[in-house]
Amino acid sequence: MAAEREHEHVRVAVIGSGFGGLGAAVRLRRAGVTDFVVLERREAVGGTWHDNTYPGCACDVPSHLYSFSFAPNPEWPRNFSGQEHIRAYLERVADTFGLRQHIRFNSEVELMSWDPEELHWTITTGQGRQLTADFVVSATGPLSDAKIPEIPGLEGFGGKVFHTAQWDHDYDLRGKRVAVIGTGASAIQVVPAIQPYVEKLTLFQRTPAWVMPRADRKITRLEKLLHSKVPATRYLRRQLLWGIRELQVSAFAKHPNVLGLLEKLASSHMKRSVKDAGLRRKLTPEYRIGCKRILLSNNYYPALAEPNVDLVASGLKEVRGNTLVASDGSEAEVDAIVFGTGFHVTDMPIAHRVKGADGMTLAEKWTGGMEALRGCSASGFPNFMTVIGPNTGLGNSSMILIIEAQLNYMIDYVKKLDALGGKVALDARPEAVNAWNAHIQDRMRRSVWNTGCDSWYLDANGRNTTVWPGTTAEFRNVTKEVRLEEYEVRRAAAQGSAASSRTTVTGAAGRGSATAAFHAAEEG
Ligand code: NAP
């Protein structure tokens, strides 16, 4: 780890060391930029895959697609690998690509302010440490800050309370009466994982989810061997997984009625496990499949059919002592509450800590809704980009594809700054951001995400500011380069007044060797 210095200046500061931050670090090094730091609030890499350790936590995008193109892993154990394998993969990425020297652990960003005179960002992290950076890559991700709803009486609850993303492994749920709140992707993994050993599980379901079968299985030794010895097989597998998902996009984004066919599949999936017609009625959604994220599980419905599980088809409204009260008046006395209530996605706390050119925070800028040119650049926030920014999320494919596309944009951004020369900044033009956003919102009108359900894709104003309404190939295309006409070029009044260590972007330095080393490590 590099030593903290007073008045330290870096070319690039990357915030977060999840997939986005580690990917940014790899791409910067491969482009010959070594003067950068990765600021990570935790004590280890992984981001959301470090934080989410709840029982049953796994990814519902196949691992051969949910991994970096430049760090393939022939050893993925399952189609849908568990959290511990994904976290371990990210640790190996950090090691193999020589990223640890750049990472500052336990460095939570408290404030980032743009200095319009010096044309750099001043970043204050925990313990009041400060550094400045020419360019900031905010890779904090949308699933990083757990959300617990304000429930009257919760503070008076005498039992244990935690969120799925903050699992307390020291608290033993065995033999306890446990309430799980929510039926999103996290909760439906927790329920079957803990149902066998809790005394009683009460699930508070405000809105039922559409749940499809999960084509999960172990990846055989033969497949692993093939993927390791014949890389083309690995590549083909990834391309197939990718292609199938690209073909689905038109139904989600333009022809939601076609998705009705999936509802039949999901309904018969439920029927196979839930014999009680009354329970099936409670579990059947009344919105078009895909409007909320489609969930994949083979063990959620069987768990709900077990005698120690009660489904309360109503949201949690109030807590009275140790009794949980639902909106429909049902009550359950419990020892522990597990909130699977999601994350601050459209109101991410980091936005309150970023101050742009006119002193306004990103949160203030986004009062009317998040928006950023090509998902990367908010106007008034020069030399700053978001990885998994506004309208970059996917409902059906791998976010790693989006992240890698944004990292192409990042490298071109840094190259463009180099080419302009001197102390320089690029600030997205408001009209370019508006045009981009109007185009996105116009496309959104026909999509399944706007068919009337309430979901975390929508912000407080009811606008979808999270999902990308196109294919990943299209996103890659629109982020392949920074178009200078979409930015204002700002120059420092007094050139060279700040201590700047400028590294010229050189191209693909070290590309082959690090990727080869990753393969070797995997094969070993
Ligand atoms: P989420 O999808 O936002 O789900 C939150 C759940 O909490 C919803 O069911 C919501 O109900 C419910 N809720 C909120 N307040 C409630 C209340 N007072 N009473 C009862 N229920 C309440 O959060 P998440 O499950 O953590 O998933 C977030 C995202 O993380 C996913 O969509 C996915 O992108 C990612 N993720 C992926 C995986 C995977 O790959 N398998 C696993 C976990 C997470 P309403 O529907 O009524 O709002």
Side-chain angles (χ1 to χ4, degrees):
M1 191 197 292
E4 199 87 43
R5 300 182 297 268
E6 255 185 88
H7 306 302
E8 184 186 13
H9 182 83
V10 291
R11 179 82 193 283
V12 184
V14 178
I15 320 299
S17 72
F19 267 99
L22 292 182
V26 171
R27 293 295 307 277
L28 285 168
R29 281 180 63 88
R30 280 169 46 167
V33 179
T34 52
D35 181 16
F36 71 90
V37 291
V38 178
L39 302 173
E40 169 54 59
R41 64 181 170 176
R42 308 278 186 241
E43 70 299 340
V45 302
T48 199
W49 292 109
H50 166 271
D51 291 358
N52 284 270
T53 60
Y54 60 80
C57 183
C59 184
D60 58 15
V61 178
S63 301
H64 278 279
L65 190 61
Y66 196 80
S67 40
F68 289 121
S69 62
F70 52 79
N73 177 11
E75 290 298 321
W76 284 120
R78 305 190 68 87
N79 275 354
F80 298 94
S81 297
Q83 172 268 341
E84 70 280 18
H85 291 283
I86 300 171
R87 196 194 55 74
Y89 167 81
L90 289 173
E91 292 280 355
R92 287 202 300 279
V93 168
D95 288 331
T96 312
F97 290 88
L99 309 183
R100 292 203 186 270
Q101 57 186 307
H102 299 280
I103 305 174
R104 310 261 170 96
F105 291 110
N106 304 307
S107 297
E108 176 148 12
V109 170
E110 287 180 348
L111 187 65
M112 280 190 274
S113 316
W114 176 250
D115 184 329
E117 304 296 322
E118 300 291 343
L119 296 192
H120 64 212
W121 287 92
T122 301
I123 304 169
T124 309
T125 65
Q127 297 98 42
R129 292 178 186 167
Q130 254 193 13
L131 75 155
T132 54
D134 292 334
F135 189 77
V136 167
V137 180
S138 180
T140 55
L143 305 177
S144 50
D145 291 287
K147 185 163 79 181
I148 293 189
E150 282 177 26
I151 305 285
L154 181 59
E155 64 293 342
F157 179 67
K160 183 77 185 172
V161 178
F162 51 88
H163 188 278
T164 47
Q166 296 156 346
W167 199 268
D168 185 345
H169 291 276
D170 293 333
Y171 182 79
D172 193 353
L173 288 174
R174 268 176 299 187
K176 300 274 180 5
R177 296 165 301 169
V178 181
V180 174
I181 316 300
T183 50
S186 304
I188 71 136
Q189 292 183 333
V190 166
V191 166
I194 65 171
Q195 173 275 322
Y197 59 81
V198 300
E199 183 191 316
K200 175 97 191 161
L201 195 157
T202 309
L203 178 62
F204 284 78
Q205 167 194 274
R206 193 165 62 183
T207 317
W210 283 110
V211 183
M212 296 282 286
R214 192 163 183 251
D216 193 20
R217 65 168 176 83
K218 271 188 179 165
I219 294 178
T220 64
R221 284 175 63 175
L222 180 65
E223 286 171 285
K224 288 182 195 169
L225 191 72
L226 263 177
H227 291 340
S228 159
K229 302 293 177 209
V230 190
T233 60
R234 206 171 54 210
Y235 177 74
L236 268 177
R237 184 177 192 138
R238 185 176 170 99
Q239 291 302 98
L240 196 64
L241 292 167
W242 168 74
I244 292 166
R245 283 160 181 76
E246 291 289 88
L247 292 174
Q248 297 164 354
V249 171
S250 156
F252 283 87
K254 294 184 195 161
H255 308 290
N257 286 342
V258 175
L259 295 168
L261 291 171
L262 293 184
E263 291 174 9
K264 291 196 170 50
L265 277 176
S267 297
S268 53
H269 178 52
M270 186 201 304
K271 214 166 180 176
R272 273 194 294 276
S273 310
V274 182
K275 300 299 169 205
D276 175 348
L279 181 56
R280 280 206 304 274
R281 255 193 313 281
K282 287 189 197 173
L283 287 168
T284 303
E286 288 176 353
Y287 56 87
R288 171 92 318 154
I289 192 168
C291 185
K292 284 171 179 286
R293 192 183 164 97
I294 300 175
L295 308 183
L296 306 181
S297 176
N298 299 334
N299 52 9
Y300 175 60
Y301 287 139
L304 295 187
E306 290 294 328
N308 68 337
V309 179
D310 252 1
L311 178 81
V312 175
S314 177
L316 174 62
K317 195 183 100 193
E318 195 187 340
V319 179
R320 287 189 211 131
N322 274 22
T323 302
L324 272 52
V325 185
S327 300
D328 67 0
S330 350
E331 296 187 358
E333 197 177 315
V334 301
D335 304 308
I337 309 175
V338 174
F339 280 98
T341 42
F343 298 86
H344 289 280
V345 175
T346 55
D347 56 344
M348 37 179 113
I350 186 82
H352 291 276
R353 303 177 184 188
V354 185
K355 269 192 182 168
D358 52 9
M360 192 187 261
T361 66
L362 200 48
E364 287 163 341
K365 177 89 188 170
W366 284 346
T367 310
M370 303 191 294
E371 51 185 45
L373 177 63
R374 298 174 195 280
C376 298
S377 301
S379 178
F381 295 78
N383 288 7
F384 176 91
M385 70 165 276
T386 44
V387 176
I388 318 191
N391 290 110
T392 59
L394 300 174
N396 74 322
S397 191
S398 169
M399 282 309 294
I400 314 309
L401 302 165
I402 295 290
I403 288 172
E404 288 199 42
Q406 289 199 284
L407 298 180
N408 292 340
Y409 197 80
M410 171 193 77
I411 292 298
D412 196 53
Y413 202 136
V414 177
K415 275 183 181 171
K416 290 266 166 37
L417 291 174
D418 262 355
L420 287 164
K423 194 87 179 142
V424 67
L426 292 174
D427 188 4
R429 291 178 184 275
E431 59 274 23
V433 180
N434 290 343
W436 173 260
N437 201 49
H439 172 65
I440 297 271
Q441 292 304 324
D442 184 47
R443 285 172 66 167
M444 207 62 86
R445 283 188 293 117
R446 286 189 289 166
S447 77
V448 70
W449 308 294
N450 274 30
T451 50
C453 73
D454 190 14
S455 74
W456 64 259
Y457 298 152
L458 308 181
D459 66 13
N461 309 310
R463 255 185 359 146
N464 187 327
T465 55
T466 54
V467 178
W468 165 245
T471 62
T472 63
E474 184 193 355
F475 190 76
R476 199 175 173 87
N477 192 37
V478 297
T479 49
K480 69 175 188 286
E481 62 174 344
V482 169
R483 298 171 197 201
L484 281 180
E485 67 274 18
E486 293 182 335
Y487 288 83
E488 274 168 40
V489 179
R490 300 188 192 282
R491 290 196 177 276
Q495 286 281 348
S497 59
S500 170
S501 50
R502 193 160 288 268
T503 315
T504 303
V505 174
T506 54
R511 174 177 303 195
S513 55
T515 302
F518 193 84
H519 294 176
E522 292 307 310
E523 283 158 25

